[in-house]
Amino acid sequence: MLSGETPSEGVFDRDVFLDIIVDVPSLSDRRFTYRASEGLDLPYGAKVRVPFGRSPVDGFVVSRVERPEGIQVKDVLFAYDLRFLPGREMLDFCQELAAYYCVTVASMWSCLWPPIVPRMKAPVQERPAAGDTIPATPGEGGGGEECADELVWGSRAYRWDRYAEMVKLGLLHGKGSLVLVPEAKEMAYAVSRLKEVAGDLVFQVSSEMTGLSRREGWLLAKTSETPVVVGTRSAVFADVRKLGLIVLDEDWSDSYKSPETPSYDARTVARLRGGKQGIRVLFGSSHPSLWALNRAREGLVEVRREACIPRSAQIVDLKEGGPRRQAVSPALRERMRISFDEGKRVFLFLNKRGDASQVLCQDCGNTITCPSCGSPMVYHSKDSSLICHTCDYHMVSPDRCPGCGGTRWRFLGFGIEKAASEVLRQFPDVPLFRLDKDSLSSGTVEDTLRRFGSSAPSCLLGTQLALGQPGFPAVGLVGVLSGDTVLNLPDFRASERVFHTLRRVLDLWPRSRDLLEQEIVVQAYNPEHHAVRGLLDPEAFYEEELSVRRSVGYPPFAALFKVRFSGKNHDRVRSTAYEFAKACGGKDPGIRVLGPIPSPKPKVRNQFRWQVALRHEEHALLAQVCDLALKELHQSSQVKISIDVEPQDMW
């Protein structure tokens, strides 16, 4: 733990000496002493720019010290605007989060500041007490039973009616609110709904905003009397004044997990922040995460649920009938024909890019793989190119096999380009629109949806990019071209990911006018799998998946860490992983050490990768064991070690 205490006031040099933790890639914090110029006496947690090695970096003040003897001390380059200094409560909270996520305090404190902060305009003549930037009232967030979590389970309209009601109630009691959505494309709807009850008190904070706009929203959240802050993942750290409520919509979404260090999960941060600061937390979805559902079943959260309207869907077995690599089955093609004849729109969902997932030589069996990753290259017929969707390596599709010189190629699997060519061939008179990363060069998402919505009959072929978009046009038929391919991945969350994707496609229905005339057809290779059947019976999915997780001891019934080792020297990476696994296994007999094994993607961007998974019922014990094991390692700068607490996948 860091200490915010400073030496008692006495006689100091005209210069001030400060201990600062620097925000650089590391597994632990180290203090470095810097000199601040006359009058620049900074408080605990202040953000500064300091020289470090070959280039300047950001750091944070942790204490004031006396002049060090016999050491050449470098100067603080400048300090950032103290108007953005977080309150002591948030500094202490993020210090605890650093221990929870096995990262440095400096990296967690960096989350408390917007990305672009101006320099401090004038020297600080009188040192403010740590945490005095926002006066705090004991118990300001509330307490007792009124701060219990609550799961809001239902359609988007139902959930947001409840959120708006709670935000309005908070304002009447002089409390601010923090409302999180998983993706920026859902911000507009959230802001419009909340402005109905909070008006000009609604401020936006999102990583998609420009630096200056985000900075302004961050400061308004900190200084306004009762702000209502709407944002994506990073907004969970906003220092909202008089915060009394946190809302987290679509709690199942992986977008709440940060892919970069510190690899925090906004859902966990919201829950821990609510518990520490006495703030009520609402989690909401039309298909809650297993974690939220399990807490509800155990009676740990209050549940408010909308009455469900039964929906039907046709599930087509892709293993039966039709030529191989056919994207559109005969059953779906017939339903599309009927819909087009009736002048309706059709939406086809396929979350796979390109034309073919793999290209294989029929003469020698060689698969063309990425030279820096080893992953199968995806074929794009538009320009006869091969692309690695792991590292974005591009190459021209070869005429001859690099292994045997053969010229007979076999294309395995199908992607959105293959599906588009099939639809155009089968329905040449129906306008076809695409919504995926590879087709956006010709226009924006809004343009594509507008053109699709102004044509009937018409067909839209889209990936995840299409889901959750505001203003999605009414459709008569939804077709899922391949709903269960990720079930083949070595990932304990694969089933849950399939379930949520299919339910999200189903969420397109309430946006259309005639629910009774709508159809959904799902093509799958495993039509009887509980993740696929969950489209029709979500309760059965939850029951079976929770049973499976409980039997093998996976989240939400245990804590899980993924520790990755990567580097260019394969032997060194492997030996470090083995050394770490051995150290962890000897710390506590209750810890399950899985591995070490090569990562499912064993090489990415010329970096070899190994990993170890740790499992135990107690999160704190795993964090402690990780810390002890890392200290015992003969660490090498050639091996990078990263700890993923609460991993969303095992890749």
Side-chain angles (χ1 to χ4, degrees):
M1 298 290 283
L2 298 175
S3 171
E5 299 298 324
T6 59
S8 58
E9 298 296 334
V11 179
F12 286 86
D13 296 316
R14 295 177 66 86
D15 290 330
V16 175
F17 294 88
L18 302 169
D19 266 4
I20 292 171
I21 52 174
V22 291
D23 187 16
V24 295
S26 176
L27 291 172
S28 61
D29 287 288
R30 290 181 60 192
R31 297 182 182 216
F32 298 90
T33 301
Y34 290 88
R35 179 177 57 194
S37 60
E38 181 180 356
L40 192 64
D41 196 357
L42 297 167
Y44 179 69
K47 185 176 182 178
V48 295
R49 192 73 169 173
V50 296
F52 189 82
R54 296 182 178 180
S55 59
V57 298
D58 290 335
F60 301 92
V61 175
V62 293
S63 65
R64 181 180 177 183
V65 296
E66 296 185 19
R67 175 192 289 272
E69 297 295 334
I71 300 177
Q72 184 178 2
V73 180
K74 295 181 179 180
D75 292 334
V76 172
L77 299 177
F78 61 84
Y80 291 95
D81 193 338
L82 289 179
R83 292 180 302 163
F84 294 88
L85 177 68
R88 183 58 182 263
E89 186 176 39
M90 286 301 294
L91 290 169
D92 290 346
F93 171 60
C94 280
Q95 189 172 330
E96 295 177 12
L97 278 183
Y100 184 92
Y101 282 111
C102 301
V103 295
T104 63
V105 173
S107 68
M108 288 306 313
W109 278 1
S110 68
C111 297
L112 294 172
W113 296 71
I116 299 179
V117 182
R119 298 186 185 190
M120 193 170 63
K121 293 182 179 179
V124 178
Q125 301 297 334
E126 184 174 333
R127 182 171 61 88
D132 273 358
T133 50
I134 299 180
T137 303
E140 189 173 57
E145 296 181 356
E146 293 183 354
C147 296
D149 293 349
E150 179 183 317
L151 172 64
V152 183
W153 188 349
S155 66
R156 183 165 72 162
Y158 173 81
R159 298 194 311 272
W160 283 93
D161 283 346
R162 178 60 178 162
Y163 301 158
E165 174 188 334
M166 295 299 293
V167 167
K168 183 178 181 180
L169 184 62
L171 291 174
L172 292 175
H173 288 84
K175 301 290 180 63
S177 299
L178 174 59
V179 181
L180 303 179
V181 294
E183 299 180 70
K185 61 188 177 184
E186 297 166 28
M187 290 275 289
Y189 179 84
V191 169
S192 65
R193 289 300 311 269
L194 294 175
K195 279 194 171 183
E196 295 173 4
V197 295
D200 293 338
L201 293 175
V202 177
F203 307 114
Q204 300 183 53
V205 175
S206 167
S207 58
E208 300 292 324
M209 298 167 63
T210 62
L212 294 178
S213 298
R214 189 177 174 191
R215 183 178 76 188
E216 181 183 9
W218 202 272
L219 190 59
L220 288 171
K222 194 172 186 298
T223 57
S224 300
E225 188 65 23
T226 53
V228 176
V229 177
V230 182
T232 49
R233 178 180 62 233
S234 60
V236 74
F237 294 102
D239 201 358
V240 180
R241 190 182 180 112
K242 296 183 179 179
L243 183 60
L245 173 70
I246 299 176
V247 173
L248 194 144
D249 192 42
E250 299 291 19
D251 82 290
W252 55 267
S253 176
D254 291 347
S255 297
Y256 285 118
K257 180 66 182 287
S258 172
E260 302 171 347
T261 301
S263 188
Y264 66 88
D265 191 316
R267 294 164 292 195
T268 298
V269 175
R271 176 174 57 85
L272 296 177
R273 185 176 179 182
K276 183 175 178 62
Q277 299 178 5
I279 299 166
R280 190 167 195 174
V281 182
L282 303 186
F283 295 93
S285 179
S286 60
H287 42 101
S289 67
L290 281 180
W291 174 84
L293 194 281
N294 186 60
R295 282 173 62 85
R297 291 193 170 186
E298 292 181 350
L300 299 177
V301 298
E302 178 185 347
V303 180
R304 289 180 177 265
R305 185 172 184 182
E306 181 182 34
C308 296
I309 302 175
R311 302 281 173 80
S312 61
Q314 180 182 359
I315 299 177
V316 177
D317 190 345
L318 282 175
K319 298 190 299 296
E320 297 180 0
R324 303 183 72 176
R325 267 198 91 229
Q326 186 179 44
V328 182
S329 65
L332 176 56
R333 185 166 62 246
E334 177 62 17
R335 299 314 306 165
M336 291 172 65
R337 184 190 63 76
I338 294 173
S339 294
F340 292 146
D341 288 346
E342 294 175 349
K344 296 179 180 179
R345 300 182 192 90
V346 173
F347 171 60
L348 300 179
F349 174 76
L350 177 62
N351 204 39
K352 294 170 67 177
R353 296 164 63 188
D355 187 277
S357 303
Q358 295 183 44
V359 179
L360 179 143
C361 174
Q362 296 190 67
D363 293 319
C364 69
N366 176 55
T367 298
I368 299 182
T369 58
C370 174
S372 63
C373 291
S375 301
M377 301 285 281
V378 175
Y379 176 66
H380 288 252
S381 59
K382 179 180 179 181
D383 52 5
S384 296
S385 66
L386 294 170
I387 302 176
C388 173
H389 289 158
T390 297
C391 71
D392 205 35
Y393 176 83
H394 288 60
M395 63 181 288
V396 176
S397 180
D399 294 327
R400 293 183 175 274
C401 173
C404 71
T407 58
R408 297 191 306 134
W409 297 108
R410 182 178 177 187
F411 298 92
L412 305 177
F414 59 84
I416 199 165
E417 290 180 12
K418 167 68 175 175
S421 64
E422 274 192 31
V423 173
L424 284 172
R425 184 174 66 253
Q426 294 162 358
F427 303 100
D429 298 327
V430 176
L432 175 65
F433 304 92
R434 273 178 57 184
L435 201 51
D436 59 280
K437 289 182 179 180
D438 298 318
S439 65
L440 278 184
S441 57
S442 59
T444 65
V445 172
E446 292 77 13
D447 290 336
T448 301
L449 291 178
R450 183 175 62 254
R451 288 185 288 128
F452 172 55
S454 63
S455 302
S458 59
C459 182
L460 174 66
L461 183 58
T463 60
Q464 290 269 14
L465 187 62
L467 303 183
Q469 290 289 352
F472 196 94
V475 295
L477 172 68
V478 174
V480 179
L481 300 186
S482 181
D484 60 344
T485 52
V486 301
L487 289 176
N488 300 319
L489 300 178
D491 185 358
F492 77 97
R493 292 189 71 245
S495 295
E496 185 180 5
R497 191 167 284 114
V498 167
F499 169 75
H500 288 307
T501 298
L502 293 178
R503 295 297 299 184
R504 196 178 186 196
V505 173
L506 193 66
D507 282 347
L508 290 169
W509 281 14
R511 300 174 191 171
S512 300
R513 288 183 286 272
D514 256 335
L515 296 181
L516 296 179
E517 296 183 8
Q518 283 196 323
E519 296 180 275
I520 181 167
V521 177
V522 177
Q523 301 181 164
Y525 289 100
N526 303 276
E528 296 305 317
H529 193 282
H530 65 283
V532 178
R533 304 302 299 179
L535 184 68
L536 305 174
D537 189 352
E539 294 289 352
F541 164 78
Y542 285 124
E543 189 68 36
E544 183 165 350
E545 187 64 17
L546 284 172
S547 177
V548 171
R549 298 275 188 93
R550 185 184 291 107
S551 66
V552 296
Y554 272 107
F557 302 103
L560 179 69
F561 286 17
K562 179 177 69 178
V563 185
R564 172 161 293 148
F565 306 82
S566 59
K568 292 186 176 181
N569 187 315
H570 180 262
D571 290 340
R572 189 161 290 173
V573 170
R574 180 182 56 188
S575 63
T576 304
Y578 270 96
E579 185 182 355
F580 174 81
K582 183 178 179 180
C584 289
K587 294 289 183 292
D588 188 291
I591 292 179
R592 180 75 185 276
V593 180
L594 307 175
I597 60 171
S599 297
K601 291 185 178 180
K603 187 181 178 184
V604 174
R605 295 181 176 89
N606 289 318
Q607 297 281 314
F608 293 100
R609 311 196 312 169
W610 280 66
Q611 66 189 43
V612 174
L614 303 175
R615 208 171 66 209
H616 194 272
E617 291 181 358
E618 296 183 20
H619 179 105
L621 179 61
L622 283 187
Q624 181 182 14
V625 165
C626 259
D627 182 59
L628 293 173
L630 289 171
K631 290 177 179 177
E632 295 176 7
L633 282 183
H634 298 90
Q635 293 190 34
S636 167
S637 60
Q638 297 181 30
V639 179
K640 179 184 177 182
I641 304 174
S642 61
I643 303 173
D644 189 357
V645 173
E646 303 169 331
Q648 296 305 295
D649 58 60
M650 298 309 291
W651 290 90

